Structures are given as C-alpha cells and as structure tokens.
C-alpha cells in the first residue's frame, strides 16, 4: 500500500508540473504563429531536447525495444545508433539550416504549407494535410497503447481508464500552452528520461548478475531457429530485417511533420550545430539505452510468455521485477517521453488540418482567433479518436505496437521524405513527382495492411515495406521530374533566392576569403 501511494504521489507531482507549464505559457500562445511555432524563437537546447523527446516515446521503449531486442539481441543497439547519427545528427545538418531558411522565406508553418508554396500547388497542400491527419492517428494510438500497458501493470487499473486519463491530460496541456509550453516540457521531460534510462539499465543488469553474466545468459539461449550465440553477435540473427528497421526509424524522422517542425521554430540558423550535437547525445543515451535494455528480454521471459502475451509485454514484464519505487520512476520516465511525442503529434495534425485543409477551402474567412479555436478543438478530436483506437486495439488482442507505428511511419515518411529533401536542394523537382510519392507510398502501406501475404516475403513486414517506400521515393522524384514539365523558372528562382541573401556577421563567425 505504501509503495502504491509513493508511485501515485510521484505521478501526481509530474502531472502537476506538466499542467502548470501548459497553463503558465498560455499567455505566449496568443496567435497562430506563437501557438504552432513558438514565434520561431526557440533556442538550441530547447529545440534539441524537443526533437529528441518527440522522437522517442513509449512506442520505442515498450514496442520497438521489446520486439526488436527479442528478435536481434544486442545487435538491436544498432537501431539506437542509427537513430542518433542518421535520424538526429545528419538530419540537423542536412535539413536543419535549409528548412529554417526556406520555410521562413515561404512563410510556411506546416509541412503541407511548405509543399503548397514550394511546388505552387494548393492541391498538394490539401493532399498532404489529409495524409498527416489520417496516418498520425495510428501512430498516436500506438503511443497510448504502450503507455496504457505500463500504467495497467504499475497501478493495476483497467487499461481503458488509463487511456482516458492520459488523453485528458494531453488535451489540457497542449490546448493550454501550445508549442512553446511543449518545448519547455520537452526539456524537463528529456532530462528525466536521460537519467531514468541509465538507472533502468543498471537495475535490469543487476537482476541478471551484472553485464557479463547477462551477456553469457543471452549467448546461451537455446533457439533452434538461429545459430548458437546469434543473439550476442555483431549483426544479430537477421541482418536484413535489422537494416530495414534502421532505415525506417532513422531516415523516417526526416519525413515526419512533427519532427521537421523542430527546424521551423529554432531561433536562428547559427544554433543548428549546437542543437545537432545535443540531440545526437540525447539519442545515443535514450534510443541506444532502450534497445540495449530490450536486447536482454530473453533472459527475463521465454517464448511461451511472448506467444501468450505478445512482444509489447516484454518490457513491462522486465519492469515488474523492479522495486516498487523504481517502477514508479520508470512510469514517470516513459510518461514524460510519451507526453512530448503526443503533444507533437496532436499539434502537427490539428494545425495542419486547420491551416492547410479548412482555411481558405472549407472555411473561406478564418481570422487568427478562429484558427486558434479550431486548432484547439481538433486537438481534442484527434486525441479522442486515437484513444478509442488504442482501447479497441487492446481489447481486440492486437498487440504489435511496432507494426502499427510502422504503417504510420512508412506512409508518411515514404510520402514526404523525398519531396521535402529534394524541395530544399533541387530546383528541378516538380509537383507531379510529389503526387507520385504520395500515391505510391500510401498505396503500398494500405495494401500491406489488407493483403500482406501477397507481398514478397521481404516486404510483408510493415517495417520493411515502410523502408522500401522511403528509398523508392528517392528514385521516384528525380525520375518523374525528368520526364514531366519543368517547374516555372521564375517561381523556383524566387523560392531559392532565400539562400542567396547577403547577411552581415561578426569576424569570429566568418573569417572571410
């Protein structure tokens, strides 16, 4: 009873801080620009932590770490390192600066708005906004699913009640404070996550007799489907599948609207380097730590447990042997990471649907106050839909969080990554190629849901199918652009003129020729 009270007090303290920040920063969200982008005045540390906190959540900690740690053993750590160096470091340097400059030049606050302005197509803007709203829902539902499982394990409360409570908390926080409150909370929650992951790994290894003993136990796991010692080998028992996961979860971040939005809002391009370093270190500890923990799942549970309860139960089962106070701390850790991601998702979806779909198309006249009101209302609607799907998913016995997230990531990143990347760097990229990416990736991922057995064996997994869509997009854009009409030269030159503007800087920042 005492332990339960301690866990509840820890959770209530965290929730109080979260809601207070949302309410406190309400005064900084008086217009759409402030609410959606924080006034484009967010510093490098807040931006970096916000990027990392939006990247990693209960889906990674519960779904991905559990499933891929089980499948790949210690080689799953490569996924975390890929997330750090490809999904964070490379993303900041390749996308960060140009995104900040061009989106500011085009006055675009969302990814669909960027597509509409960059490719001079209102239809593209509408199409992208619909894709974001539709495919962010399963991603958000997977987050609620992972959180619900941990809360049910820790507090022995019905899963549905956990989901409803978390939905209400998310709605209060995001509706009140907007983007800037989200980034401040991300910094606090990211700090908790950094400390927590290290502590969790230390406790888990101690339960197995230390690192050496845990590795020895994992190396001697008997599994007739793999060679002896495969779960401690360099690339694990399935290197091809491992590569697919790395591609999807690392390069996928480049095409996700809630991730790219972090570059829109950074205070100045000079802060890109600092933000890149901070977010990379964050990813190494958090993502690397999650997959490292998951890689020892086989030393805690057996195949019979997984067959009966699913991959998503592996991490909660590992945590169930922790001291009660430690479980309470882990709940705070995962909740902190997930609230950050949830707030990013609902903000991206609601703002996109309002600014890119409803404004000027469905509702012809929409002032700033009305836009804010609709965005806030859609945040509540989005959370309600996602929560309902999460409860249905759990009650119907669909337990594979990683697959649900894979569908979402594959459709969105496959549709957006190549058009966004080429849009920043290549003048020849045309709107026809963007439509082809949209249609190709969404078609592949939808067909993968209903006709998975008809796919080639390698692409039956939503993870591999999503990775395939992203790579295919990198070929679709240049090939289609090469055989279709060139974009209007004057308009493209105007768009890219933002990179040619002359700015005066201090000598210490540029030594000159």
């Amino acid at each position: 009873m005492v332990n339960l009270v301690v866990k509840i007090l820890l959770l209530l303290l965290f929730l109080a801080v979260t809601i207070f920040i949302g309410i406190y920063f309400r005064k900084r969200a008086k217009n759409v620009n402030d609410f959606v982008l924080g006034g484009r005045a967010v510093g490098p540390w807040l931006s970096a932590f916000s990027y990392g906190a939006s990247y990693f959540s209960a889906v990674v900690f519960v779904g991905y770490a559990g499933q891929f740690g089980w499948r790949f053993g210690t080689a799953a750590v490569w996924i975390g390192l890929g997330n750090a160096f490809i999904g964070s470091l490379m993303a900041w340097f390749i996308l960060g600066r140009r995104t900040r400059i061009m989106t500011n030049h085009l006055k675009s606050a969302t990814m669909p708005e960027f597509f509409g302005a960059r490719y001079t197509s209102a239809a593209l803007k509408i199409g992208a906004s619909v894709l974001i709203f539709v495919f962010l829902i399963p991603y958000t539902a997977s987050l609620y699913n992972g959180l619900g499982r941990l809360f049910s394990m820790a507090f022995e409360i019905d899963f549905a009640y956990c989901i409803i409570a978390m939905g209400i908390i998310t709605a209060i926080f995001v509706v009140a404070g907007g983007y800037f409150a989200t980034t401040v909370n991300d910094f606090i929650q990211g700090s908790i996550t950094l400390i927590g992951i290290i502590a969790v790994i230390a406790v888990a290894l101690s339960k197995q007799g230390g690192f050496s003993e845990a590795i020895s136990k994992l190396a001697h796991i008997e599994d007739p489907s793999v060679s002896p010692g495969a779960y401690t080998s360099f690339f694990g028992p399935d290197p091809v599948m491992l590569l697919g996961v790395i591609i999807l979860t690392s390069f996928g971040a480049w095409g996700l609207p809630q991730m790219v939005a972090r570059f829109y809002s950074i205070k100045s391009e000079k802060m890109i380097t600092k933000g890149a370093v901070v977010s990379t270190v964050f990813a190494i500890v958090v993502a690397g730590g999650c997959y490292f923990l998951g890689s020892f799942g086989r030393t805690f549970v057996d195949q019979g447990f997984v067959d009966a309860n699913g991959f998503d139960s592996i991490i909660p089962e590992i945590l169930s042997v922790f001291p009660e106070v430690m479980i309470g701390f882990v709940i705070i850790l995962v909740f902190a990471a997930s609230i950050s991601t949830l707030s990013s998702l609902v903000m991206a979806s609601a703002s996109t649907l309002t600014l890119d779909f409803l404004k000027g198309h469905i509702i012809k006249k929409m002032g700033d106050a009305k836009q804010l009101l609709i965005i806030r209302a859609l945040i509540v609607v989005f959370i309600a839909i996602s929560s309902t799907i999460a409860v249905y998913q759990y009650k119907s016995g669909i337990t594979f969080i990683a697959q649900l997230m894979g569908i979402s990531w594959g459709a969105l990143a496959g549709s957006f990554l190549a058009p966004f990347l080429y849009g920043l760097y290549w003048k020849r990229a045309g709107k026809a190629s963007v439509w082809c990416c949209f249609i190709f990736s969404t078609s592949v991922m939808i067909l993968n849901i209903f006709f998975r057995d008809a796919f080639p064996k390698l692409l039956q997994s939503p993870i591999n199918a999503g990775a395939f869509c992203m790579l295919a997009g990198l070929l679709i854009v240049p090939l289609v652009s090469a055989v279709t009409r060139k974009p209007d030269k004057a308009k493209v030159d105007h768009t890219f003129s933002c990179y040619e503007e002359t700015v005066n800087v201090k000598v210490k920042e540029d030594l000159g020729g």
Side-chain angles (χ1 to χ4, degrees):
M1 183 62 182
V2 174
N3 289 325
L4 180 60
V5 170
V6 171
K7 287 190 288 186
I8 291 174
L9 289 175
L10 284 172
L11 180 61
L12 290 176
L13 177 62
F14 173 78
L15 292 178
V17 172
T18 298
I19 293 173
F20 170 78
I21 290 174
I23 295 173
Y24 179 80
F25 284 103
R26 181 180 176 84
K27 61 187 178 183
R28 294 194 60 163
K30 294 180 179 179
N31 56 58
V32 173
N33 185 56
D34 291 339
F35 189 84
V36 176
L37 294 176
R40 294 188 188 264
V42 183
W45 280 85
L46 289 180
S47 294
F49 269 70
S50 183
Y51 186 90
S54 299
Y55 202 160
F56 311 113
S57 62
V59 173
V60 173
F61 189 77
V62 178
Y64 273 32
Q67 178 173 165
F68 298 126
W70 181 270
R71 288 186 172 181
F72 305 132
T74 53
V77 175
W78 284 111
I79 305 171
L81 294 178
N83 295 169
F85 292 103
I86 299 173
S88 297
L89 187 67
M90 287 177 61
W92 275 78
F93 281 122
I94 294 175
L95 299 180
R97 179 179 179 276
R98 284 187 171 244
T99 298
R100 175 64 176 82
I101 295 172
M102 187 175 283
T103 57
N104 187 53
H105 176 67
L106 296 176
K107 301 294 187 291
S108 55
T110 65
M111 185 176 274
E113 202 169 20
F114 169 82
F115 286 138
R118 166 62 181 85
Y119 295 102
T120 58
S121 171
L124 268 182
K125 183 173 73 169
I126 295 172
S129 66
V130 172
L131 289 180
I132 288 172
F133 189 81
V134 170
F135 285 100
L136 281 187
I137 287 176
Y139 185 6
T140 308
S142 67
L143 269 174
Y144 279 123
N145 188 303
L147 275 174
R149 289 177 180 276
L150 283 179
F151 272 72
S152 297
M153 177 273 294
F155 298 102
E156 298 181 0
I157 302 173
D158 184 85
F159 181 87
Y161 294 132
C162 294
I163 296 296
I164 292 170
M166 287 181 292
I168 293 171
I169 291 164
T170 309
I172 292 172
F173 163 62
V174 181
V175 167
Y179 185 85
F180 200 84
T182 299
T183 58
V184 173
N185 241 331
D186 287 346
F187 183 80
I188 296 172
Q189 293 158 0
S191 301
I192 295 172
T193 304
L194 283 174
I195 298 169
I197 287 293
I198 296 171
V200 168
I201 292 172
V203 174
L205 291 179
S206 70
K207 293 291 182 181
Q208 295 297 330
F211 175 71
S212 298
E213 184 64 22
I215 288 290
S216 178
K217 289 180 180 179
L218 190 60
H220 290 89
I221 292 290
E222 294 186 6
D223 185 346
S225 64
V226 301
S227 58
Y231 294 116
T232 55
S233 62
F234 200 65
F235 291 119
D238 191 349
V240 175
M241 178 66 175
L242 176 64
L243 180 61
V245 178
I246 292 172
I247 292 173
L248 179 71
T249 62
S250 299
F251 283 109
W254 295 29
L256 295 178
Q258 75 276 13
M259 301 298 298
V260 174
R262 270 53 200 161
F263 302 136
Y264 288 36
S265 58
I266 196 166
K267 191 173 183 178
S268 78
E269 59 168 300
K270 294 181 291 185
M271 298 179 179
I272 295 293
T273 300
K274 184 181 290 185
V277 173
V278 174
S279 68
T280 302
V281 173
F282 183 92
I284 291 172
V285 175
V286 175
C290 284
Y291 289 109
F292 182 73
L293 173 67
S295 68
F296 293 100
R298 290 178 181 270
T299 66
F300 286 89
V301 300
D302 57 21
Q303 185 67 53
F305 175 87
V306 174
D307 291 340
N309 300 284
F311 291 115
D312 302 341
S313 297
I314 295 174
I315 297 299
E317 183 65 18
I318 293 175
L319 299 177
S320 68
V321 302
F322 281 27
E324 290 291 331
V325 175
M326 188 66 185
I327 291 176
F329 183 70
V330 172
I331 294 299
I332 300 301
L333 180 160
V334 180
F335 190 67
S338 299
I339 281 290
S340 299
T341 307
L342 283 168
S343 59
S344 301
L345 292 174
V346 299
M347 181 74 74
S349 181
S351 61
T352 288
L353 198 63
T354 302
L355 301 177
D356 304 320
F357 184 76
L358 297 178
K359 181 183 177 183
H361 303 287
I362 307 300
I363 304 175
K364 298 299 181 181
K365 294 183 179 180
M366 191 186 295
D368 211 62
K370 192 171 185 178
Q371 291 175 48
L372 273 178
L373 178 63
I374 294 175
I375 289 173
R376 287 178 162 130
L378 286 175
I379 285 172
V380 176
V381 171
F382 185 83
I383 290 172
I385 295 173
S386 302
S387 301
T388 302
I389 292 175
V391 173
Y392 173 77
Q393 178 196 14
Y394 178 78
K395 297 293 184 182
S396 62
I398 302 172
T399 60
F400 301 118
I401 296 176
Q403 274 66 26
L404 193 61
M405 181 176 166
I407 292 167
S408 175
W409 275 50
L412 290 175
S415 296
F416 297 157
L417 188 155
F420 189 77
L421 179 63
Y422 283 112
L424 294 174
Y425 280 89
W426 191 38
K427 292 184 178 182
R428 182 65 177 81
K431 62 183 176 183
S433 68
V434 181
W435 279 118
C436 287
C437 275
F438 287 7
I439 295 169
F440 176 82
S441 295
T442 53
S443 298
V444 168
M445 298 313 298
I446 291 172
L447 290 172
N448 186 267
I449 297 173
F450 298 104
F451 305 102
R452 188 163 297 162
D453 292 340
F455 275 63
K457 186 175 181 180
L458 184 62
L459 298 181
Q460 288 182 3
S461 163
I463 306 296
N464 286 348
F468 169 73
C469 288
M470 286 188 293
L471 295 177
L474 296 174
L475 295 176
I476 289 172
V477 170
L479 290 176
V480 174
S481 296
V483 298
T484 53
R485 193 170 73 176
K486 293 182 179 181
D488 183 274
K489 186 177 184 303
K491 291 180 179 178
V492 172
D493 287 343
H494 171 72
T495 298
F496 278 79
S497 66
C498 59
Y499 299 141
E500 307 300 327
E501 293 179 7
T502 301
V503 295
N504 296 318
V505 297
K506 296 178 181 179
V507 173
K508 67 178 182 180
E509 295 172 4
D510 188 346
L511 297 178

